[in-house]
Amino acid sequence: MSTIQKKYYIANSVQTIRTTQNTSKFQNGSFQARCQNLNRSRGARTHGKRHVRTLLNRVSEAQVVAVCSTEQSELEWARNEYKDWGIQVYDSYDQMIQHSGLQAVWVSTSTDVHATQTIAAIEKGLNVLCEKPLSTNMEEAKRVVEIANKNSHLKVMAGFSRRFDASYRNAKAQITEDAIGEPFVIRSQTCDLIDDTGFFVRYAAKNGGMFVDCCIHDIDLSLYYFGDVIPKAVWAVGTIAHHPELKELNDVDNGVGVVEYWGGKIAYFYCSRTQAHGHDVCTEVVGTKGKVMVNLVPRLDNVTLAQKIGISHKVQPEYWERFEDAFATEANEFVASIVNNTPVPLKLELGLMSLKIGWALQEALLTGERIRFNEKGEQLDGGSASL
């Protein structure tokens, strides 16, 4: 029997990819699966550009067909960089999602436009992988889920990349296999290398605050490892150590948050944008019979240097060096769900609970109050974190 190839095209508010599929139903068909925004950048190294490279080099069933940006320098760079790949470069997201044959979009823009871009793609009949979180606004996030559920034939997923990391998956397997007993305490941190370019401050203005943006992965990991848990109370504190401009944004560059879940489980989070040594992300899960730890001592590689002054090793400078493989796994599994018409690896609703807790922590940070929830997860004072 002959093999027939079906191509899928993906677009994002910066980048677009095409996927390939073996099928007996379509011959020489086309499917566009991704487009990303090149704007979410630190100089020339952008999140969108990195995702395009991943799709081009590590996702065999996808092909980038379009990218978009609103910045002239990014547009010029993309036209030159992608000209040999046949990738269309757009200066408008709305125009990009009109790209002929497009079937999926990867939204990798600032958080304040995640919801509107995701909804626009869904309404165009496109599959969507949206970076975390779904929105800076709970109502918008709920609307994304509502519209996605009404279009259940489409694949729509929030990108919580750490669930696709081999080490975090290994830890989950250890917990599932009862290696540490019942988990009851999680300590998790996301600490970024200090940024002196001004990017972080500009980025912070569009992304909801320390706990909604930087801490969202740690919150998600607590849900990943604890399972189906409901918050009972949250409280948070923070400080500004390096970026005084954040005061006008009601934000901090270092924050500590605690979540008490119903059933006696506790999660402790530390988030920072000011580390001197590099990207320092780790998680520790304590159970009734032991504990499992992920990346407690961050390393760039397996090289250790011994000198007169002591023993040392290098640390990954950014999140990308730590999670590049996780992003590739995420992209491959999302594309596979489209190609094989199977459920997405992560339910979209998971993004709502993480965002709900993130906003409660942000509220606790700003008010100095302990935010409480009933056993249904409803905020007792009727605040913005209620679902």
Side-chain angles (χ1 to χ4, degrees), residues 99-118:
H99 191 97
S100 178
L102 189 66
Q103 289 181 285
V105 173
W106 191 337
V107 175
S108 183
T109 47
S110 57
T111 308
D112 58 338
V113 295
H114 280 181
T116 55
Q117 290 186 342
T118 297

Side-chain angles (χ1 to χ4, degrees), residues 104-242:
V105 173
W106 191 337
V107 175
S108 183
T109 47
S110 57
T111 308
D112 58 338
V113 295
H114 280 181
T116 55
Q117 290 186 342
T118 297
I119 290 171
I122 294 172
E123 291 176 344
K124 283 292 297 179
L126 302 174
N127 303 283
V128 185
L129 171 55
C130 178
E131 290 293 334
K132 62 77 190 169
L134 289 174
S135 175
T136 56
N137 179 280
M138 279 302 302
E139 291 304 316
E140 271 195 338
K142 287 189 284 185
R143 185 162 178 259
V144 171
V145 173
E146 179 183 351
I147 292 175
N149 288 339
K150 290 180 179 178
N151 293 271
S152 58
H153 61 289
L154 298 174
K155 310 301 179 184
V156 184
M157 187 177 89
F160 287 94
S161 54
R162 291 185 200 175
R163 292 196 185 216
F164 297 89
D165 176 72
S167 296
Y168 280 108
R169 283 185 165 182
N170 187 353
K172 174 66 171 178
Q174 300 295 328
I175 295 169
T176 301
E177 293 167 6
D178 199 36
I180 66 168
E182 181 70 18
F184 62 92
V185 170
I186 289 176
R187 181 182 68 84
S188 192
Q189 71 177 45
T190 296
C191 298
D192 290 331
L193 180 68
I194 187 170
D195 171 62
D196 292 321
T197 68
F199 166 82
F200 164 61
V201 174
R202 296 192 301 272
Y203 175 80
K206 299 180 178 181
N207 290 280
M210 176 62 78
F211 291 104
V212 173
D213 179 58
C214 185
C215 189
I216 201 76
H217 282 299
D218 302 289
I219 297 169
D220 179 64
L221 286 173
S222 73
L223 302 176
Y224 185 40
Y225 292 136
F226 279 154
D228 189 17
V229 288
I230 301 294
K232 180 179 181 180
V234 310
W235 54 101
V237 294
T239 189
I240 298 175
H242 286 280

Side-chain angles (χ1 to χ4, degrees), residues 208-210 240 245-252 362 365-366:
M210 176 62 78
I240 298 175
E245 304 95 326
L246 293 174
K247 185 175 182 179
E248 294 183 2
L249 302 176
N250 291 321
D251 202 6
V252 297
Q362 200 71 22
L365 172 69
L366 297 178

Side-chain angles (χ1 to χ4, degrees), residues 14-15 38 44 46 48-50 52-53 67 71-83 89:
V14 177
Q15 313 147 350
L38 300 172
T46 72
K49 292 174 184 175
R50 288 164 166 171
V52 169
R53 186 170 68 241
V67 300
E71 294 187 9
Q72 188 60 38
S73 61
E74 296 284 1
L75 293 169
E76 292 174 359
W77 180 92
R79 291 186 184 109
N80 180 66
E81 182 73 14
Y82 301 136
K83 61 184 178 181
V89 179

